[in-house]
Amino acid sequence: MNSLYQNIKDSKAKGEKLLAVLIDPDKMKPQNVLSFIEKVNQSIATHIFVGGSEVDEGLTENLVIAIKKHTHLPILLFPGDVIQITDKADGILFLSLISGRNPDYLIGKHVEAVSRLKNSNLEIIPTGYLLIENGKQTSVERVSKTQPLKRKSIETIVDTSKAGELLGMKLIYLEAGSGATYAIEPNIISEVKQQLNIPLIVGGGIRTKAEMDSAFKAGADLVVIGTAFEDDEDLFNDLKK
Protein backbone atom coordinates (compact mmCIF):
# COMPACT_ATOMS: atom_id res chain seq x y z
CA MET A 1 0.00 0.00 0.00
CA ASN A 2 1.35 3.42 -0.92
CA SER A 3 2.24 5.86 1.81
CA LEU A 4 0.16 8.98 2.38
CA TYR A 5 2.97 11.07 0.93
CA GLN A 6 3.34 8.84 -2.11
CA ASN A 7 -0.38 9.19 -2.77
CA ILE A 8 -0.06 12.99 -2.65
CA LYS A 9 2.89 12.85 -5.03
CA ASP A 10 1.02 10.52 -7.37
CA SER A 11 -1.96 12.88 -7.42
CA LYS A 12 0.36 15.78 -8.18
CA ALA A 13 1.90 13.85 -11.08
CA LYS A 14 -1.57 13.08 -12.48
CA GLY A 15 -2.82 16.64 -12.00
CA GLU A 16 -5.45 15.47 -9.52
CA LYS A 17 -6.35 18.14 -6.99
CA LEU A 18 -6.74 17.33 -3.30
CA LEU A 19 -8.85 18.95 -0.58
CA ALA A 20 -8.26 18.70 3.15
CA VAL A 21 -10.86 19.66 5.72
CA LEU A 22 -9.11 21.13 8.77
CA ILE A 23 -10.80 20.44 12.09
CA ASP A 24 -9.74 22.30 15.22
CA PRO A 25 -10.12 20.12 18.34
CA ASP A 26 -10.73 23.24 20.40
CA LYS A 27 -13.75 24.19 18.31
CA MET A 28 -15.35 20.87 17.33
CA LYS A 29 -17.86 19.72 19.93
CA PRO A 30 -18.04 15.92 20.41
CA GLN A 31 -21.80 15.87 19.76
CA ASN A 32 -21.26 17.49 16.34
CA VAL A 33 -18.61 15.09 15.02
CA LEU A 34 -20.97 12.59 13.38
CA SER A 35 -23.04 15.11 11.43
CA PHE A 36 -19.94 17.04 10.37
CA ILE A 37 -18.02 13.99 9.18
CA GLU A 38 -21.06 12.72 7.27
CA LYS A 39 -20.91 15.94 5.26
CA VAL A 40 -17.16 15.54 4.77
CA ASN A 41 -17.73 12.02 3.43
CA GLN A 42 -20.26 13.33 0.91
CA SER A 43 -17.89 16.04 -0.29
CA ILE A 44 -14.87 15.98 -2.60
CA ALA A 45 -12.56 16.06 0.43
CA THR A 46 -9.64 13.65 0.20
CA HIS A 47 -7.99 14.23 3.58
CA ILE A 48 -8.80 15.38 7.09
CA PHE A 49 -6.33 17.54 8.99
CA VAL A 50 -6.70 17.80 12.77
CA GLY A 51 -5.03 20.51 14.81
CA GLY A 52 -4.99 24.07 16.07
CA SER A 53 -2.70 26.69 17.50
CA GLU A 54 -3.94 26.35 21.08
CA VAL A 55 -5.47 23.01 22.09
CA ASP A 56 -5.70 21.40 25.53
CA GLU A 57 -3.97 18.05 25.99
CA GLY A 58 -6.14 15.03 25.18
CA LEU A 59 -8.63 16.87 22.96
CA THR A 60 -6.83 15.98 19.73
CA GLU A 61 -6.64 12.26 20.48
CA ASN A 62 -10.30 12.12 21.53
CA LEU A 63 -11.34 13.91 18.35
CA VAL A 64 -9.25 11.67 16.08
CA ILE A 65 -10.76 8.57 17.70
CA ALA A 66 -14.26 9.96 17.17
CA ILE A 67 -13.59 10.88 13.53
CA LYS A 68 -12.11 7.46 12.75
CA LYS A 69 -15.40 5.83 13.65
CA HIS A 70 -17.17 7.59 10.80
CA THR A 71 -14.73 7.90 7.87
CA HIS A 72 -12.10 6.08 5.86
CA LEU A 73 -10.37 9.28 4.79
CA PRO A 74 -6.75 9.59 5.93
CA ILE A 75 -6.30 11.72 9.04
CA LEU A 76 -3.19 13.85 9.29
CA LEU A 77 -2.18 15.77 12.39
CA PHE A 78 -1.56 19.48 11.86
CA PRO A 79 -0.21 20.19 15.33
CA GLY A 80 0.37 23.55 16.94
CA ASP A 81 2.28 21.87 19.77
CA VAL A 82 3.72 18.50 20.75
CA ILE A 83 0.82 17.79 23.12
CA GLN A 84 -1.40 17.39 20.04
CA ILE A 85 0.54 14.36 18.81
CA THR A 86 -1.41 11.10 18.94
CA ASP A 87 -0.70 7.78 17.25
CA LYS A 88 -4.43 7.34 16.67
CA ALA A 89 -4.05 9.39 13.46
CA ASP A 90 -2.56 8.09 10.21
CA GLY A 91 0.18 10.64 9.77
CA ILE A 92 1.58 13.98 10.85
CA LEU A 93 2.71 17.09 9.04
CA PHE A 94 6.04 17.62 10.84
CA LEU A 95 5.95 21.38 10.53
CA SER A 96 8.94 23.70 10.42
CA LEU A 97 7.87 27.36 10.54
CA ILE A 98 10.49 28.46 8.02
CA SER A 99 8.92 31.88 7.49
CA GLY A 100 9.93 32.80 11.05
CA ARG A 101 13.16 32.79 13.02
CA ASN A 102 12.00 31.37 16.34
CA PRO A 103 14.29 28.37 17.00
CA ASP A 104 11.54 26.61 18.95
CA TYR A 105 9.50 26.27 15.76
CA LEU A 106 12.49 25.53 13.53
CA ILE A 107 13.94 22.67 15.63
CA GLY A 108 13.09 22.99 19.34
CA LYS A 109 9.54 21.60 19.23
CA HIS A 110 10.71 18.85 16.89
CA VAL A 111 13.24 17.62 19.45
CA GLU A 112 10.49 17.59 22.09
CA ALA A 113 8.28 15.58 19.73
CA VAL A 114 10.74 12.74 19.16
CA SER A 115 9.84 10.84 22.33
CA ARG A 116 6.20 10.81 21.20
CA LEU A 117 6.97 9.89 17.61
CA LYS A 118 9.70 7.26 17.76
CA ASN A 119 7.43 4.46 18.98
CA SER A 120 4.37 5.51 16.99
CA ASN A 121 3.13 4.23 13.64
CA LEU A 122 2.44 7.73 12.35
CA GLU A 123 3.71 8.52 8.88
CA ILE A 124 5.91 11.57 9.42
CA ILE A 125 5.95 14.08 6.56
CA PRO A 126 8.48 16.94 6.91
CA THR A 127 6.67 20.11 5.88
CA GLY A 128 8.01 23.62 5.30
CA TYR A 129 5.39 25.97 6.75
CA LEU A 130 5.21 29.60 5.62
CA LEU A 131 2.93 32.13 7.28
CA ILE A 132 1.90 34.90 4.87
CA GLU A 133 0.35 38.17 6.11
CA ASN A 134 -3.41 38.33 5.66
CA GLY A 135 -4.56 41.64 7.11
CA LYS A 136 -4.77 40.74 10.78
CA GLN A 137 -2.77 38.93 13.43
CA THR A 138 -3.32 35.17 13.44
CA SER A 139 -3.11 32.72 16.31
CA VAL A 140 -0.05 31.14 14.65
CA GLU A 141 1.70 34.51 14.68
CA ARG A 142 0.80 35.13 18.32
CA VAL A 143 1.72 31.66 19.61
CA SER A 144 4.92 31.26 17.60
CA LYS A 145 6.04 34.86 18.25
CA THR A 146 7.05 35.21 14.61
CA GLN A 147 6.16 37.69 11.89
CA PRO A 148 4.47 36.55 8.67
CA LEU A 149 6.15 37.20 5.35
CA LYS A 150 4.88 40.30 3.55
CA ARG A 151 2.56 39.58 0.64
CA LYS A 152 4.47 42.02 -1.54
CA SER A 153 7.77 40.23 -0.87
CA ILE A 154 7.10 37.54 -3.45
CA GLU A 155 10.78 36.82 -4.08
CA THR A 156 11.31 36.19 -0.36
CA ILE A 157 8.29 33.88 -0.25
CA VAL A 158 9.53 31.97 -3.30
CA ASP A 159 13.10 31.71 -2.03
CA THR A 160 11.97 30.61 1.43
CA SER A 161 9.77 27.91 -0.13
CA LYS A 162 12.63 26.69 -2.32
CA ALA A 163 15.00 26.71 0.66
CA GLY A 164 12.57 24.41 2.44
CA GLU A 165 12.66 21.99 -0.47
CA LEU A 166 16.47 22.11 -0.61
CA LEU A 167 16.59 21.37 3.12
CA GLY A 168 14.67 18.16 2.45
CA MET A 169 11.09 19.16 3.20
CA LYS A 170 8.60 16.92 1.39
CA LEU A 171 5.78 19.47 1.31
CA ILE A 172 5.55 23.26 1.26
CA TYR A 173 2.53 24.81 2.98
CA LEU A 174 1.59 28.44 2.28
CA GLU A 175 -0.65 29.60 5.12
CA ALA A 176 -2.62 32.81 5.45
CA GLY A 177 -3.84 31.75 8.89
CA SER A 178 -7.10 30.58 10.40
CA GLY A 179 -9.92 32.97 9.62
CA ALA A 180 -7.66 35.06 7.41
CA THR A 181 -9.07 38.33 6.11
CA TYR A 182 -8.09 37.31 2.60
CA ALA A 183 -6.59 34.25 0.99
CA ILE A 184 -3.14 34.02 -0.56
CA GLU A 185 -3.17 35.63 -4.00
CA PRO A 186 -2.96 33.40 -7.09
CA ASN A 187 0.19 35.15 -8.31
CA ILE A 188 2.04 34.19 -5.11
CA ILE A 189 0.89 30.59 -5.44
CA SER A 190 1.91 30.53 -9.10
CA GLU A 191 5.38 31.98 -8.49
CA VAL A 192 6.09 29.48 -5.71
CA LYS A 193 4.73 26.57 -7.74
CA GLN A 194 7.05 27.30 -10.66
CA GLN A 195 10.11 26.85 -8.44
CA LEU A 196 9.08 23.68 -6.59
CA ASN A 197 9.44 20.02 -7.44
CA ILE A 198 7.49 18.91 -4.37
CA PRO A 199 3.73 19.21 -3.67
CA LEU A 200 2.34 22.59 -2.64
CA ILE A 201 -0.37 23.05 0.02
CA VAL A 202 -2.32 26.30 0.32
CA GLY A 203 -4.65 27.26 3.17
CA GLY A 204 -6.17 30.15 5.08
CA GLY A 205 -8.95 32.53 4.08
CA ILE A 206 -10.47 30.25 1.43
CA ARG A 207 -14.24 30.52 1.92
CA THR A 208 -15.84 29.56 -1.39
CA LYS A 209 -15.56 26.99 -4.15
CA ALA A 210 -14.46 29.78 -6.50
CA GLU A 211 -11.58 30.70 -4.20
CA MET A 212 -10.61 27.05 -3.91
CA ASP A 213 -10.67 26.64 -7.68
CA SER A 214 -8.57 29.80 -8.04
CA ALA A 215 -5.91 28.35 -5.73
CA PHE A 216 -5.91 25.09 -7.69
CA LYS A 217 -5.62 26.91 -11.00
CA ALA A 218 -2.68 28.91 -9.68
CA GLY A 219 -0.84 25.73 -8.79
CA ALA A 220 -1.93 24.42 -5.38
CA ASP A 221 -1.82 20.62 -5.27
CA LEU A 222 -3.78 20.44 -2.02
CA VAL A 223 -6.08 23.12 -0.62
CA VAL A 224 -7.00 23.29 3.06
CA ILE A 225 -10.34 24.72 4.23
CA GLY A 226 -11.18 24.98 7.91
CA THR A 227 -12.87 28.06 9.32
CA ALA A 228 -15.20 28.38 6.32
CA PHE A 229 -16.77 25.01 7.13
CA GLU A 230 -17.05 25.96 10.81
CA ASP A 231 -18.84 29.20 9.91
CA ASP A 232 -20.93 27.92 7.01
CA GLU A 233 -21.52 24.18 6.68
CA ASP A 234 -23.61 24.94 3.58
CA LEU A 235 -20.25 25.19 1.80
CA PHE A 236 -20.34 21.39 1.75
CA ASN A 237 -23.27 21.63 -0.68
CA ASP A 238 -20.99 23.41 -3.15
CA LEU A 239 -18.34 20.74 -2.74
CA LYS A 240 -20.37 17.56 -3.02
CA LYS A 241 -18.98 14.68 -5.06
Side-chain angles (χ1 to χ4, degrees):
M1 185 174 68
N2 283 345
S3 69
L4 295 172
Y5 180 64
Q6 187 61 51
N7 287 336
I8 292 172
K9 282 208 308 180
D10 289 347
S11 293
K12 173 181 178 292
K14 297 174 186 175
E16 298 172 351
K17 300 302 185 179
L18 306 173
L19 172 65
V21 177
L22 172 60
I23 305 176
D24 189 333
D26 197 43
K27 297 177 181 177
M28 177 58 67
K29 296 178 181 178
Q31 63 268 28
N32 295 337
V33 171
L34 174 58
S35 62
F36 189 84
I37 296 303
E38 284 179 340
K39 292 178 181 177
V40 173
N41 289 336
Q42 294 166 10
S43 77
I44 60 172
T46 56
H47 296 75
I48 295 173
F49 288 179
V50 176
S53 297
E54 299 170 288
V55 177
D56 290 337
E57 190 157 11
L59 285 182
T60 301
E61 180 162 302
N62 291 339
L63 178 59
V64 170
I65 291 171
I67 292 171
K68 279 250 179 188
K69 293 176 181 177
H70 307 296
T71 188
H72 295 295
L73 292 177
I75 301 173
L76 282 158
L77 299 176
F78 179 60
D81 199 275
V82 295
I83 65 170
Q84 295 179 41
I85 296 174
T86 169
D87 61 5
K88 304 301 182 183
D90 300 303
I92 180 172
L93 298 182
F94 204 40
L95 302 169
S96 290
L97 186 58
I98 58 176
S99 58
R101 297 296 180 265
N102 184 340
D104 276 347
Y105 292 88
L106 290 169
I107 185 62
K109 295 290 185 180
H110 308 74
V111 175
E112 287 182 43
V114 169
S115 61
R116 292 174 179 251
L117 292 172
K118 62 185 179 183
N119 295 318
S120 81
N121 292 316
L122 289 170
E123 181 178 333
I124 302 167
I125 308 177
T127 303
Y129 189 55
L130 285 75
L131 187 62
I132 314 297
E133 66 172 352
N134 80 85
K136 67 177 184 180
Q137 187 185 56
T138 64
S139 54
V140 175
E141 183 180 345
R142 185 180 69 257
V143 171
S144 68
K145 297 180 175 62
T146 66
Q147 295 296 312
L149 297 178
K150 300 294 185 183
R151 301 174 84 86
K152 293 181 179 179
S153 303
I154 296 180
E155 184 175 355
T156 300
I157 296 171
V158 171
D159 289 352
T160 303
S161 300
K162 188 63 178 180
E165 178 182 343
L166 295 175
L167 279 167
M169 306 296 176
K170 294 183 176 180
L171 298 169
I172 293 296
Y173 194 140
L174 300 181
E175 170 74 281
S178 176
T181 304
Y182 37 76
I184 296 171
E185 287 97 335
N187 65 311
I188 296 176
I189 299 170
S190 178
E191 291 286 340
V192 171
K193 177 66 173 180
Q194 289 176 37
Q195 296 299 320
L196 293 182
N197 297 306
I198 56 177
L200 176 62
I201 302 175
V202 176
I206 298 172
R207 296 181 174 83
T208 65
K209 183 179 185 298
E211 290 175 343
M212 179 191 74
D213 290 340
S214 177
F216 281 142
K217 186 177 179 180
D221 298 298
L222 190 157
V223 165
V224 181
I225 300 179
T227 304
F229 286 128
E230 296 167 7
D231 295 341
D232 180 16
E233 289 192 20
D234 287 340
L235 178 57
F236 281 120
N237 294 328
D238 297 328
L239 298 175
K240 281 189 175 180
K241 292 178 183 176

